[in-house]
Amino acid sequence: MLEQGTLSVNTENIFPIIKKFLYSDNEIFLRELVANAVDATQKIKRLSSLGEYSGELGELQVEIKLDKEAKTLTISDKGIGMTAEEIKKYINQIAFSGATEFVEKYKDQTKEIIGHFGLGFYSAFMVAKKVEILTKSYQDAPAALWSCEGSTSFSIEEAQKEERGTDIILHIAPDSEEFLEKARLTNILNKHCKFLPIKIVFEGDTINNTEPLWVRKPADLQDEDYLKFYKELYPFSPDPLFWIHLNVDYPFNLTGILYFPKVRQDLTVSRDKIQLYSRQVFITDEVKDIVPEFLTLLHGVLDSPDIPLNVSRSYLQADGNVRRISNHIMSKVAEKLNQLFKEKREDYAQKWDDIGLFVKYGAVTEEKFFEKVEKSILFKNIENQYFTLEEYKEKVKAAQTDKDEKVVLLYTTDPEKQHTYIQSAQKRGYDVLQFDTVIDPHFTQRLESKQEKLQIKRVDADSIDKLIEKAETLESVLSESEKEIVKKVFEEVTQNAAKSANRQVSVAIEGLPESEMPVVITQSEMMRRFKEMNVGGAAMMGGAMPEFYQAVVNGNHALIRKIATETDAATQQKLAQQAFDLALLSQHLLSGKSLSDFIERSLSHLV
């Protein structure tokens, strides 16, 4: 007997809304329908195990069949099936009641919606002009055929179907015929259904691994298993450094494996490699609203049915389960780092260059994470030795404590470019760290804010005596009148140079060791950090901001003494220009015509 009716939904245009807004990508329909089929299959297995179903289970799998001539796509399962009454209840009433509520609640923020609504079946109408359900319940009831052509009208009638289960038959719409291509469907299935717990067959090929690594017990796995699975997830990536296997069932459900990749300078390339699943159904690889941002640098899989997927992203951050899951993952990552540091310190130090950026990024952006890993953060000096902060402070405090009793840490961002300054520091018995990641300007700020008696300066931030100010400093041998002469000459030279480059240079006369360069170019730590931490800000303000440097003239150098006593103004100017250009050259600040002029002057003394 044919029965016709109207879906219990008030919104007449529900189908256009579903098609346009319910999911951000129409390929999701296949994920939803296959996931529903898997769910129905798992239910019959459960009923059988409880003794509530005594029939033969048969081969439990989900099959996807493509008929290009008929322009149909069929998703078949051998699950619990439905009676006609259950179709009316679950398809006609509850789902569309939910659809109405969804549209009303999110009509103004549909673009923020992510994944999986419990309206999964109706995603079929994103690609189909007509959808049929042919189903036979595991209970003793006739098979039924439900049919709907994308309006609020449907028909339902008795049908012939021998086997238990459900066939969802999609009559693909003209504007969605891409989903009649085998390659397109294979790609979708590989993306969304690769790890579903029930066998998925398409065109005779098994699509999925029903027991992915994260659902297995860590005790049953070897290192090679984790590495093999990583290659399955990221075929073209180098091996990870180490990993964490997550398995929590209270107060929330969470499984997964997080891998620590090599993280160098480029933060953006490394991001968005964590895949989020819900009961082995792929949902998204955008997890920044679910875990702290720095953890998006990790790779791997998270699987949790307790992460709400039917709400706007803004809601996620306020969700209690999401916060607990996020904090748990962060704690587990910190525990792993601390464990490796304590148990395998040498190996940990060897991996530090590859994970240091990640750890520092976490320390800068998440206070709780910094507190957990603070004692496991390593500092590498130019001798490639690794220390904790307390170890390093103990190492350098005798030589590098200033007159205010602050321990001054010196660092370089490029040992080659800053070699002259490093040499000067080493002559004083100072040690120099390597801070060469994009996060280090922010990291040094965080360290200084946490440590009262600590200062951090780049090795070229000041002249050698002022870099770490002591109670006694070397005086210049120049008289006051000679200092005025020298300062005036160098101010003329620096002003001329400023015209050809977007920089401002002040001049100071200091008493440095005779062995130091005649002129040293420095840039204050504060000015450099301001520049490094505001990359791009200058462009937004309408142009590049000028660079501010100081030319420290060594009043004890023989060349400077010669300039002070030289009576010929032209010679005086030439010598000062050469000394200043040498200082610029040492900082890689000499280029263009200024560099050509310097080379020409230098060569003129050789012939």
Side-chain angles (χ1 to χ4, degrees):
M1 172 181 133
L2 176 65
E3 179 182 343
Q4 294 180 319
T6 303
L7 296 169
S8 57
V9 58
N10 297 324
T11 309
E12 286 296 323
N13 61 347
I14 188 72
F15 285 100
I17 290 173
I18 286 174
K19 189 158 187 172
K20 187 173 183 182
F21 293 122
L22 184 55
Y23 297 93
S24 59
D25 190 341
N26 59 356
E27 72 177 34
I28 297 300
F29 83 94
L30 191 55
R31 178 193 79 183
E32 296 295 281
L33 297 179
V34 172
N36 285 349
V38 167
D39 187 48
T41 307
Q42 289 180 307
K43 285 177 179 175
I44 198 66
K45 286 177 66 177
R46 178 69 174 159
L47 290 173
S48 178
S49 69
L50 294 172
E52 295 182 19
Y53 175 69
S54 56
E56 288 293 323
L57 288 179
E59 185 178 7
L60 295 179
Q61 64 182 36
V62 174
E63 189 174 0
I64 297 101
K65 293 176 285 234
L66 175 64
D67 187 334
K68 290 189 72 171
E69 287 189 13
K71 296 186 178 181
T72 60
L73 183 66
T74 303
I75 295 90
S76 302
D77 68 65
K78 296 177 182 176
I80 58 173
M82 288 182 286
T83 65
E85 289 304 312
E86 285 172 332
I87 292 178
K88 294 174 190 176
K89 178 179 179 182
Y90 295 116
I91 299 297
N92 296 348
Q93 296 172 14
I94 292 180
F96 267 103
S97 174
T100 308
E101 182 182 345
F102 161 77
V103 172
E104 183 61 31
K105 187 171 183 180
Y106 296 111
K107 61 186 178 184
D108 296 325
Q109 46 181 312
T110 47
K111 291 182 180 178
E112 295 183 1
I113 303 302
I114 59 173
H116 215 60
F117 288 95
L119 297 173
F121 167 71
Y122 285 98
S123 64
F125 287 97
M126 297 167 68
V127 301
K129 62 183 180 182
K130 177 182 177 182
V131 178
E132 295 174 300
I133 304 173
L134 177 59
T135 183
K136 181 174 175 61
S137 173
Y138 74 98
Q139 300 169 342
D140 186 18
L145 176 65
W146 178 92
S147 180
C148 180
E149 296 190 14
S151 69
T152 53
S153 298
F154 70 89
S155 67
I156 187 168
E157 61 185 304
E158 286 191 15
Q160 293 298 313
K161 180 173 170 57
E162 297 299 321
E163 292 185 313
R164 177 200 72 238
T166 301
D167 299 333
I168 306 293
I169 304 144
L170 309 185
H171 297 261
I172 301 299
D175 63 353
S176 298
E177 289 187 0
E178 63 183 283
F179 299 109
L180 293 172
E181 298 298 327
K182 180 182 176 182
R184 179 78 167 101
L185 296 172
T186 300
N187 287 339
I188 298 170
L189 291 167
N190 282 332
K191 178 180 178 181
H192 294 284
C193 306
K194 194 173 183 179
F195 299 114
L196 283 171
I198 298 295
K199 182 179 177 182
I200 311 297
V201 177
F202 175 51
E203 303 287 276
D205 295 327
T206 299
I207 292 295
N208 58 322
N209 171 4
T210 59
E211 285 196 345
L213 218 64
W214 75 84
V215 303
R216 296 166 61 184
K217 294 179 181 178
D220 297 336
L221 301 171
Q222 305 295 324
D223 285 358
E224 51 264 34
D225 296 316
Y226 289 102
L227 291 170
K228 182 180 177 182
F229 183 61
Y230 187 79
K231 286 297 182 185
E232 192 175 344
L233 294 172
Y234 314 104
F236 304 108
S237 295
D239 285 349
L241 301 168
F242 44 90
W243 49 83
I244 303 169
H245 196 140
L246 302 164
N247 195 341
V248 185
D249 55 19
Y250 183 82
F252 49 80
N253 287 288
L254 173 69
T255 55
I257 301 170
L258 290 178
Y259 292 91
F260 288 74
K262 293 182 178 181
V263 180
R264 291 287 184 165
Q265 286 284 13
D266 197 334
L267 291 169
T268 55
V269 169
S270 301
R271 280 195 178 115
D272 298 330
K273 298 293 180 67
I274 295 177
Q275 299 176 9
L276 177 65
Y277 289 76
S278 178
R279 295 188 176 92
Q280 295 173 235
V281 181
F282 175 77
I283 304 300
T284 182
D285 54 11
E286 293 184 12
V287 298
K288 61 184 174 65
D289 299 300
I290 296 164
V291 300
E293 187 178 2
F294 80 98
L295 290 178
T296 63
L297 296 177
L298 298 181
H299 295 177
V301 169
L302 295 175
D303 190 330
S304 176
D306 291 331
I307 295 174
L309 301 168
N310 58 339
V311 293
S312 65
R313 287 196 171 110
S314 60
Y315 179 82
L316 280 172
Q317 295 159 340
D319 182 79
N321 270 338
V322 171
R323 286 201 308 274
R324 284 191 288 272
I325 289 171
S326 177
N327 288 335
H328 177 81
I329 294 170
M330 187 168 65
S331 294
K332 285 296 180 183
V333 168
E335 283 177 21
K336 182 69 174 182
L337 292 167
N338 291 335
Q339 177 192 7
L340 289 171
F341 171 73
K342 290 172 184 174
E343 297 177 5
K344 299 180 180 180
R345 175 154 179 178
E346 186 175 339
D347 183 53
Y348 180 77
Q350 288 177 352
K351 291 181 170 70
W352 182 255
D353 288 355
D354 294 312
I355 64 169
L357 175 62
F358 163 77
V359 179
K360 290 175 182 178
Y361 187 28
V364 167
T365 57
E366 294 288 336
E367 179 72 23
K368 289 181 181 178
F369 181 73
F370 184 36
E371 292 171 358
K372 291 176 185 292
V373 301
E374 188 172 1
K375 294 181 180 178
S376 300
I377 294 174
L378 295 183
F379 296 77
K380 182 175 77 169
N381 68 5
I382 57 172
E383 308 297 331
N384 292 325
Q385 300 168 322
Y386 295 86
F387 308 86
T388 65
L389 180 59
E390 292 307 312
E391 290 168 348
Y392 192 72
K393 284 164 63 178
E394 187 64 28
K395 170 183 170 62
V396 303
K397 70 178 184 181
Q400 294 179 213
T401 300
D402 68 10
K403 59 185 178 62
D404 298 319
E405 298 185 352
K406 287 186 177 180
V407 176
V408 181
L409 307 189
L410 303 179
Y411 70 93
T412 175
T413 54
D414 190 322
E416 289 296 316
K417 288 183 179 180
Q418 293 146 22
H419 183 263
T420 302
Y421 298 88
I422 293 170
Q423 272 192 322
S424 295
Q426 289 177 324
K427 286 176 185 177
R428 292 295 179 96
Y430 300 157
D431 196 77
V432 180
L433 293 169
Q434 296 188 55
F435 281 173
D436 55 5
T437 75
V438 293
I439 205 69
D440 279 316
H442 304 270
F443 181 63
T444 52
Q445 291 282 100
R446 170 56 66 94
L447 279 181
E448 287 177 333
S449 70
K450 299 281 285 186
Q451 302 265 333
E452 285 186 15
K453 290 290 186 178
L454 184 73
Q455 265 198 319
I456 304 173
K457 295 182 179 180
R458 204 168 93 171
V459 72
D460 58 351
D462 216 325
S463 60
I464 190 64
D465 279 341
K466 288 193 174 180
L467 206 55
I468 304 175
E469 289 194 83
K470 305 292 180 132
E472 296 180 1
T473 57
L474 191 64
E475 291 294 328
S476 168
V477 298
L478 297 179
S479 66
E480 290 303 316
S481 60
E482 288 173 330
K483 286 181 183 178
E484 288 182 16
I485 292 170
V486 169
K487 186 169 185 179
K488 183 179 179 181
V489 172
F490 274 97
E491 282 178 342
E492 290 177 7
V493 167
T494 58
Q495 284 172 7
N496 290 335
K499 293 176 183 177
S500 59
N502 189 26
R503 68 173 68 108
Q504 295 182 15
V505 183
S506 60
V507 177
I509 312 296
E510 293 183 14
L512 303 177
E514 289 185 61
S515 59
E516 294 294 323
M517 288 180 63
V519 180
V520 179
I521 298 294
T522 66
Q523 186 177 50
S524 73
E525 186 69 22
M526 183 179 71
M527 181 56 64
R528 178 178 294 109
R529 285 193 205 174
F530 177 78
K531 173 190 168 187
E532 290 172 344
M533 293 172 71
N534 291 278
V535 173
M540 291 173 64
M541 293 166 65
M545 295 176 63
E547 298 269 16
F548 294 90
Y549 294 93
Q550 185 176 52
V552 180
V553 180
N554 182 2
N556 293 329
H557 196 279
L559 178 59
I560 303 305
R561 295 200 302 271
K562 182 176 180 180
I563 292 172
T565 56
E566 176 61 53
T567 55
D568 181 67
T571 302
Q572 204 177 41
Q573 186 86 5
K574 187 177 180 179
L575 292 173
Q577 185 70 61
Q578 194 74 355
F580 179 64
D581 285 353
L582 277 169
L584 290 174
L585 191 65
S586 72
Q587 277 281 44
H588 299 265
L589 295 173
L590 199 63
S591 61
K593 184 177 184 304
S594 297
L595 178 59
S596 299
D597 291 345
F598 170 76
I599 294 171
E600 189 175 332
R601 279 197 311 274
S602 301
L603 289 173
S604 68
H605 292 290
L606 300 177
V607 293

